[in-house]
């Protein structure tokens, strides 16, 4: 039976690969990718011309600004007394030593009498010590303990404008010196001194912090 069919010659038929399908698949994928890129680019152009991108950025910035605002940044209008107002003594609680450091006689007594009329207690009245005698060029010096710097001295300072304030090592904060200087003419007018004392003793608005504008 094997002799009926014989293959003659030295050439055999070759099987060809089907390249048509692969090309079709590649072209389809490339087309879809290209369409996707074109569509994405179109959307970006639309956002640019319509301004949606800017709105999104502005919204993001606003969110960041809001997140930084805390309780400490809230504005307040509460009035609180100044540091010295809570401990300010009244004139009747302050003893003033009136000392004259000028060559003019009688200034210490005249000034002491006027301070007494304004409610201050009067201590020593006379000439200044050698440390200050004829060495005070201004209107005067208010001298007291360190504890008087925010108490008795500011109260006495309402009676004499332009006076220099100094502290020393004394213990009593309610006993201070008024050393009259060469430029002294008179105490402040009583009505002006009363206004200054009322302002000093009155409440002051606390510093308020407002959030930064976004």
């Amino acid at each position: 039976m094997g002799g009926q069919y014989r293959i003659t010659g030295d050439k055999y038929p070759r099987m060809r690969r089907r390249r048509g399908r692969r090309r079709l698949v590649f072209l389809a994928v490339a087309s879809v990718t290209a369409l996707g890129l074109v569509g994405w680019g179109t959307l970006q152009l639309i956002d640019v011309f319509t301004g949606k991108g800017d709105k999104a950025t502005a919204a993001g910035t606003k969110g960041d600004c809001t997140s930084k605002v805390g309780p400490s940044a809230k504005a307040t209008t509460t009035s609180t007394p100044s540091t010295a107002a809570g401990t300010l003594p009244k004139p009747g609680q302050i003893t003033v030593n009136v000392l004259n450091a000028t060559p003019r006689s009688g200034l210490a007594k005249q000034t002491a009498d006027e301070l007494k009329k304004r409610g201050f207690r009067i201590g020593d009245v006379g000439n200044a010590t050698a440390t200050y005698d004829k060495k005070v060029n201004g209107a005067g010096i208010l001298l007291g303990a360190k504890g008087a710097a925010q108490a008795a001295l500011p109260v006495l300072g309402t009676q004499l404008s332009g006076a220099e304030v100094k502290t020393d090592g004394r213990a009593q904060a309610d006993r201070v010196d008024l050393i009259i200087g060469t430029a002294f003419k008179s105490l402040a007018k009583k009505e002006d001194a009363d206004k200054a004392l009322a302002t000093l003793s009155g409440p002051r608005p606390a510093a308020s912090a407002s959030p930064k504008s976004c």
Side-chain angles (χ1 to χ4, degrees), residues 69-75:
V69 178
S72 61
K74 292 182 179 179

Side-chain angles (χ1 to χ4, degrees), residues 7-25:
I7 299 175
T8 60
D10 56 356
K11 294 183 180 181
Y12 301 92
R14 296 180 180 179
M15 300 297 291
R16 294 183 178 179
R17 297 179 180 178
R18 299 180 179 180
R19 298 180 180 178
R21 293 184 179 179
R22 291 186 178 182
R23 290 180 178 178
L24 289 176
V25 172

